[in-house]
Structures are given as C-alpha cells and as structure tokens.
Amino acid sequence: MAGPQKKRAEAERPPQPSTTSGSTPHPPSVNNRPLQRVTAMGGFDGSRDGSPSNSPSTRPIGSPRPATASPSQSAVGSPSISGSGRTKNYFQLTGTLPKNLDLGMQQWNTVRGYAPSDVVQKPPKPSTLGQATKIGLNTFNVVEYPKVAVYQYEVLIGNGVEKRGLVRAVWDCATVQNTLGKGFIFDGNRLAWSLKNVDRELRLNINMSQERKQEVRPGKEPDIHRVVIRQTTKVRFDSLLAYMSRKLDTFDNHSLEAINFLDHLLREYPSKHFTQIKRSFFKRGENRALLGRGIEAMKGVYQSLRMAHTPQGATLTINVDVANGMFFTASRLDVLAFNMVGCRDTNDLIQVCRTNRERAHKGLKLLKRVKVITKHRGSEEAEWCIESFIFKSAKEHKFQALDKQSGKEVTTSIFDYFAKSYNIRLQFPDLPLVKMTRGKNTIFPMELCIVKENQRFPFKCDEKQTSEMIKFAVTPPAQRWAAIDHGLKMLDWSNDPVLKHFGLRINPTKTVVDGRVLTAPVVKYGAGDAKPGTSGRWDLKGKKFLASNPAPLKAWSITVCSGRRGGKPEKATIDNFVAEFVKIYKGHGGKVENASPVMNLTAGDDVGDWVTKAWNAAGAAANARPQILLFILPDKDAGVYGRIKRSAECRYGVVTQCMQYAHVQKCQPQYISNVLMKFNAKLGGTACRAVGPKSGGPGGIFTVPTMIIGADVSHPAPGSQAGSMAALTVSMDNLAARYSGSVQTNGYRVEMITTENINNLLKPQIQHWVQTVGNGKFPQRIIYMRDGVSEGQYRHVLEQEVHDIKALLKSANAAMNIPITAIVGSKRHHIRFFPDRGDRNGNPLPGTLVETGVTHPFENDFYLCAHAAIKGTARPTHYHVILNECKMPNDEIYTLLYEHSYQYMRATTPVSIHPAIYYAHIAALRAVSHDPKWGNPSEGAPQQTTIGSSDKTTVIVDPLLPMPNQGAINTSMWYI
C-alpha cells in the first residue's frame, strides 16, 4: 500500500552506455546524482577534508553530496573503459544494471562496478543465548543447478532507447520468434539466454505494421525496427558455486551473470501465465475483495532468489510469500471514473466535470496509463492506453473524418461519427473524452472503453480503503501458510517446462532451521517490576515510572473542542476526568503542583486560535511558561490534530497531548495510564528500563559511555510533490531509554541523509548529550541504527552518512576517533517464521532469533522477532551489521536489540524494531505538519530552496518551520 510511510528511494540508474576510451568519467552516484565533494558548516562542522567550510546556504537542501571514494580496481572479470571514473561491468556498459536482486553488500559492489570492500563477517559459530527452537521458514532450497551450457545474448532493438512495451512487442513478434526458435528467455530489455550456441550476429528489420496486420495509410511510413542479437558470454555457474563454497573470495561478474540469469529463469514461465508485478504474480480471475471507490484487492504469490547460509555451507534458496495487490476494478471506464472522482454515478460525474473541474481532473488523473479495451467494431477487440482526458462533450468535439460514401474528409463530431459509422448512439455524450497514447489524436468516448483486469493501483488509498486492505492482508500464520501453499501450486516448479529445460530443480519442502528464543528481561519501574516472560505483555497496575517529570507540573491547561454538530462536552465529565488523570499520574510517581489546570472551551474553526488561548491561559494562571497543553477532541480529524501540533510546536515550542472525548467520558484507568506514559515522556520522565542477566548496572548493557543514534528517511506518497523527511534521534541518558529527535526535509525522494542535515540535526543533539549525559565528555562509542535502506545502499550509508558523522565529531576535536558500529534494521522483506512451538496464534515467541537458513552466507546479518504480534503473522526485523569498529560481539548486539525493545516509551509490550529507529520513523511522520506548505498556514513560510530531482522537472522543497527552543523542546520527546 502506498501512503505516508517510509518508502525506498528510487534505485540508482545504470550509467549510460559508453563506447569510447575518452568517455566522461562517471563518479560514484546515489539517487541518480553524482557524489560531489562539498564542504560543510564551520566551527563544530562536518568538513570532510579539514578545509574551511561554507555556510549552509552554499548548497540547497537535498543537493548532491561529496564522493567519499572512487573505486579504482576492477571487479574480477569485468571489462573496463579507459578514462572512466570507475570500472564498468557488462551490465553497466549495456544499461542493464540489475535492480531487484537479493544480494549482499559485497555483491552490490560488483553490480555497480566498485572494487570489493571489507564487510563485517558472519561469526564462525551460532549464538548459544536463550533456548534452542526449530523455526520453519517460507524458503525453499535449490537442489540442482543447470549442468548444460547457457549462452547469454545482447538484444538491441532500435536505438536502445525504445519503450519497454515496444521492445517486448518486437521480441514477441512472429518473425523474431521464428528466426530464433524456441528456448530463448528475454529480460524485456537488453539480455536474452538460450541453450543454443548462435555464434553469429543476427540482424533483422521488423515491420511491425505487417506483424500486426495493419494497413499503412497513404503517405505514412511503415513501422520498421532494427533488431540486432549477438552472443556475449557463456553463463558461468562454476564461478557462482566456487564463490558459495569459498573457493573464490570475490563475487565476480561471472557469478553476477549466473544469479541474474537464474532470477529471470524463475520468472519466465509464471510471467506468461499470470499478471506479473515485479516479482509477484496474480492469477487472472482469482477471488477479489472490494476496497471501495473502484479499487479491489487480490492475493497472489511472491518469489525471489537469494544466497543463504546453512550449517553445511552456502546455498541458493527461493523466498515464497503471499503478495497482496491492489487493482483497478475491471468495469466500464465511466463507472471506474465516477468512483475515482468520488461521485454517486455517471450523471453525477458529468455534473462535477461542469461545476468543479479541479476535483474532476484530480480524480481522472489517476487513470492515466490505465489500459482499456474497445469493442465498437463488433467482435474485434483493440487495446489502448489512456494518455489524458479532454473536458469536452462528444457533441462539442469535432474532427476530420473520411466519409466512406464520398471518399472526402468531412468535419464531424465524436457523437455523430460513432452513430453513423458504428450505429452506436452514446448514452452519456456529455462525459469527458479519452485520448489514447497510440496514434496522433486517437479519441474515444468514455462509455465505450472497458478497463482491463489486473491493473495495479499504485496510488495512496483513502482511510476506508486502507482499513479494508489491512483486514484483507492481515492473516494469522495458519492462513498465511495456506496462502503460501496456494502460491506454490501456482508456481508448480516440478512441472515448470522452462525450469526443466534448463535443469533447475527446487525442493518443494520448506526450510527448517535451528533458532534461539532469547531470555526476556525484567521490566524495571521505579516501584513494581514486570516479568513478561514469553507473553510479551504487562500492565502498569501498582507501578511507578522509573523517572517522573523532573519539574513539577504547574503550568498547563486543558482545551475542550466542541463537536462539528454543535454538541458540547459536559464540564462535570471533564472535571471528573482531570481529577482521575492527576490522581493516577501521582500514583505512577508523577509530580503535580497544580492539580486544577485552567480549562477552555473552543469556539470556531481557527485551530491556531485554540492553541494561542490555551497557551495564554496556562501561562497566565501559573505565571510561568506553559509546560504542556492538553486538547480533548471530538473525533480523529487528522487535519485538526496536525494543526494543533504545528501551531504549538512551531509557534510556541511547547509539547501537547491530544485525547478523544469518547475515551474521556469512559475515564478508564488503563487508558489514562497509557496516555500518561506519553505525557510523562514529554515532560522529561522515563517509563521503565530492561534488566537482563548482564544489564543490571547503572549503564544497563553498556560497560562504557555509549550513544545510540537512530536514523530514518520517509518519503511522500507516489505522485506527491512533498519533500522527503530525514529524522535523527539520539539517546539522552545512560540507559538509552530517552531519545531526542530532530527532523528536516531531505530533498525530493532522496534516501541518503544530506551532509547539511547530518550537521544541523545531529550537532545540537550531540552537544546536549555531552553536557547532560557525558558530563562534558564525548561518548566512547556510537551505535548508528539506520532504517529503510536496501542492501544496494549499504555502501552509501557508510561512505556518506557515517562519514559525515565522523567528520562532524572531528570538527570538534581533530584527534577524536570514536568507534562506530552501524546496523541497518529493515522490515521491508518477505521472510516469515513458522515455529514448531509458538504462541497461541502460531506466531514466534518474542525474542526469536534466526541466524541461518535465510541470512547471507558470509556477511553478518540476522532476523530477530522481538515483539508479540497482536494480529496477523509476525514480521521479524532483518538486521545487518555493516560496520563494527566497536568490536561488539553478536551476542551483545542481540541482547541490546532485544532488551531495548522493552524500553519503548509508550507501550507495555516489546516493539518489533529498535526504539531508536522506531522513534526516528515517528518523528519523521509527525514533522509533516511542520512543512510550510502543509494545510493552510497563517504564518509566513521560509524562503524556498530549489533542488534537482531524479525526475525531469524541478521540485521545490521548503525547509520545515523551526521549533522555538526556549522550553528545550528540541531535546525533548516532543514526537512521542
């Protein structure tokens, strides 16, 4: 599902083909931008080379960052071009850079033509922490590899820049297929494979007009395309097997070519029989669930190939999982159109197109590139692709048409043309017309177009659709495995003729591995400890927070917001709730000096005025700066919530707490305790700490002063012009229980955090840590937790973000060399655990660890399921240690990640990913309302900054509104 969630940045585009020895150098790049050296801020800055640095204004937000390394040595077996900035392998030379392979960090270096770099190696022995357990995985091992010679061919159609649809059509045409014969696999772009050894270059001129049996109109040129096919290499499975058996140290281009071929081999047969969306396949005619407004959901199967570790050595394994897809409903186009626009029916759509063109255009824009079928010629079907909509009626729009009786061109309307030529009288002639991509000016009435089935809906869902999709997608383990089994029957490997032809055999039995269930810590409070064990649950009854608010609660107010229908909350209800709220907070150890905060009742829709009155009332009543503002809201209005947060944080620098009136009416102690965890954290308190066998001291698991930094970049929904958000959180106590958080825009869909953001966001947080936690000293080690990056971007994280952190630290003291351990945590994967002994739903117990079966054979990664799933099938977090200067043993890393998941500040359950990452994700989403363009702000917006995006257009991304720091909001848990 798309939405305001973190999404992967665009994959790096392959360098353009180059054939001359004096070609322009191609420096390392990320997010489609060259990595240029740019100095950072002065003073405590992030200068990369120790040179004087410039002010932040010298480089726009989101602009390219410097290159930190230039690979100079060729990957084994890769051809190179003299004068290029780095060695280029065959894939880069032909523009066929693989994007979706499941590879490790070192292997991606080969893909991108970098010299091999050191990676953190997998420990020689598995962990012995906790208890042993057996874990079933949704992976299936390859047991037999092709033993015959497979030849790889380069396919050039036209000039090499033709659209993929045309390339596929030319390849599939009868002339090409008859020339090649059966047994070829084509990647849809530039590569093909076969067991046939065709050692001569094939050159063909394909007349697509003849292939499609289309007449060429007088004066028109036939649609002819040049096709060149030549053999380039023989796929070397021996190199891949040598690498997996450690007889070859480096993953070379021969190994890459073998992996790439096997990946396409797996997809060849399913792609011909099912609807393919990347690695997922959906069966035509399968059962569907309607999500509303013209969108439906359907289950399919996902499969991907990866190398995996086993106790016996490396192997190839296939990850098979459920694919949940959203599609446009196959219907008449006008029916889908009125659903997209949010109308009742077709007549309502016509009315909206007349009276509210902007609304109609916004909805119909979603249908661009949707494929439709027309049947106006009787039994003859024609397929078209929508380019745009023309807001003219069929009677108004006129064009030149050939009159069959007179043989002359006459001016006619769309309405008259279909009535006269096809005897079709349009029922809704006032609908907008549809312009197609094929032909110069091909236009159809909307009601004559039928939407093809199984076309993916790639846009953001509304709230109702999202809710329905979650219900459809979330299934318990038993149902999920049944769906996986259904997917296996769809793939039917044993009867796949393509796999048989090439000699690939896969074990249809799931992989079962030895895992561990780590010992759950004791959750220690100020009074009253919790021992959740394997349940992953506890409550706050009889417990006091580990640390209450440092300053007694004195200056605060409660604002009660009336409902939209004029309903006024009862004052007695509010008074009762406030009394209970204060009583329970004191019971949890909270310090309350003012137990009767001033109360306001809102009037009007000006949310900014609500916040101003609440701020003034709280300050005047206590004669002090307000500490926190409470708002009781009538419903879950995201707009009102965002405006409250924006106004309070960016105008007054004060934290807020919002609650719904329905919960206030019930006044349940459990609800109040849950709110108080957030309330206490915002006021500077700490809920609890985790205590394990080795983490009972004042520093917890840390034996030396340690800082944890969490990082996340979230991207807007597809089609949105909003900027990406970079969030950095920093631990603010010895236990790494409290975290400050800073957020800033990070350019347009840029995944790597910019140098400016590393400097500007991290510098004040590190300074605060030194002053308050380190007693004037820097930490002795730093653990950098990064979320949301793919394996292909690990090197960029090290060469850019970690490099910038080191440079920032050295700008304070050039001799400082604090060791850093960098760990990437990701939940964007398809691995699931099916344990022999799980919880009552069949999910793994909290603390389940898997180090083999699906992890990389040589690099240090693992899967940890730290949480207890409430609904559906638990998704473990995939952690990959990409740098370990701190020399932390894996058992220490496992314990830290698991125990700290119990210290999450606003839950009485362990969370699925380390809190530093979780907080960064929350902060990035919360700061969306700080964008000057968000909503309809009355405040003036900061100056705009223009950046170059990966698209052809230029996108303008504003910096966020700053938060005044008089109340130290920037180092608080304002986002919680």
Side-chain angles (χ1 to χ4, degrees), residues 354-369:
R354 288 173 178 164
T355 59
N356 193 342
R357 182 72 58 83
E358 184 179 353
R359 174 187 164 190
H361 176 74
K362 184 177 179 182
L364 293 177
K365 187 172 67 172
L366 302 177
L367 299 177
K368 185 178 179 181
R369 313 302 298 182

Side-chain angles (χ1 to χ4, degrees), residues 14 51 138 183 210 239 265 316 378 512 526 544 577 594 609 755 813 826 957 962:
S51 59
N138 55 333
Q210 291 181 357
S239 290
L265 175 65
L316 290 181
V512 178
K544 293 191 174 184
F577 176 81
N594 174 17
D609 185 56
T755 303
N813 182 350
S826 175
V957 177

Side-chain angles (χ1 to χ4, degrees), residues 591-661:
K591 305 185 190 100
V592 181
E593 185 176 316
N594 174 17
S596 301
V598 62
M599 190 181 303
N600 301 300
L601 183 64
T602 63
D605 296 326
D606 189 343
V607 177
D609 185 56
W610 301 355
V611 176
T612 298
K613 288 179 178 176
W615 167 268
N616 291 334
N623 195 26
R625 191 180 196 283
Q627 296 163 280
I628 191 168
L629 307 177
L630 270 66
F631 290 85
I632 298 175
L633 306 177
D635 51 33
K636 289 183 177 180
D637 189 318
V640 170
Y641 177 85
R643 289 196 291 273
I644 289 173
K645 297 295 183 180
R646 170 197 180 92
S647 187
E649 292 159 1
C650 299
R651 291 170 65 196
Y652 301 108
V654 65
V655 293
T656 57
Q657 181 62 54
C658 296
M659 295 171 284
Q660 287 186 61
Y661 182 64

Side-chain angles (χ1 to χ4, degrees), residues 237-279:
F237 297 105
D238 57 332
S239 290
L240 177 61
L241 295 173
Y243 173 74
M244 291 197 297
S245 62
R246 302 310 296 263
K247 294 176 182 176
L248 185 66
D249 292 334
T250 307
F251 182 84
D252 61 12
N253 279 321
H254 297 307
S255 302
L256 174 59
E257 288 164 351
I259 284 280
N260 191 46
F261 162 70
L262 293 171
D263 181 65
H264 284 90
L265 175 65
L266 275 174
R267 285 184 273 163
E268 178 68 12
Y269 188 70
S271 66
K272 296 290 192 294
H273 295 79
F274 308 118
T275 298
Q276 180 182 0
I277 299 176
K278 296 181 179 178
R279 300 185 192 178

Side-chain angles (χ1 to χ4, degrees), residues 392-400 411-414 416:
K392 278 186 178 181
S393 74
K395 293 181 178 180
E396 293 173 337
H397 189 85
K398 292 182 169 55
F399 69 105
Q400 294 295 114
T411 301
T412 184
S413 68
I414 296 285
D416 292 336

Side-chain angles (χ1 to χ4, degrees), residues 859-884:
E859 298 177 17
N860 192 7
D861 69 325
F862 53 91
Y863 289 81
L864 177 63
C865 185
H867 67 299
I870 300 173
K871 287 184 178 181
T873 305
R875 182 183 342 197
T877 299
H878 179 216
Y879 291 103
H880 200 126
V881 183
I882 60 174
L883 180 70
N884 194 8

Side-chain angles (χ1 to χ4, degrees), residues 118 153 250 333 377 394 433 494 584 599 795 832 897 970:
D118 293 334
Y153 297 85
T250 307
L333 181 58
R377 293 176 176 171
L433 300 170
S494 60
I584 294 176
M599 190 181 303
R795 180 171 179 141
R832 297 295 184 271
L897 293 170
N970 288 318

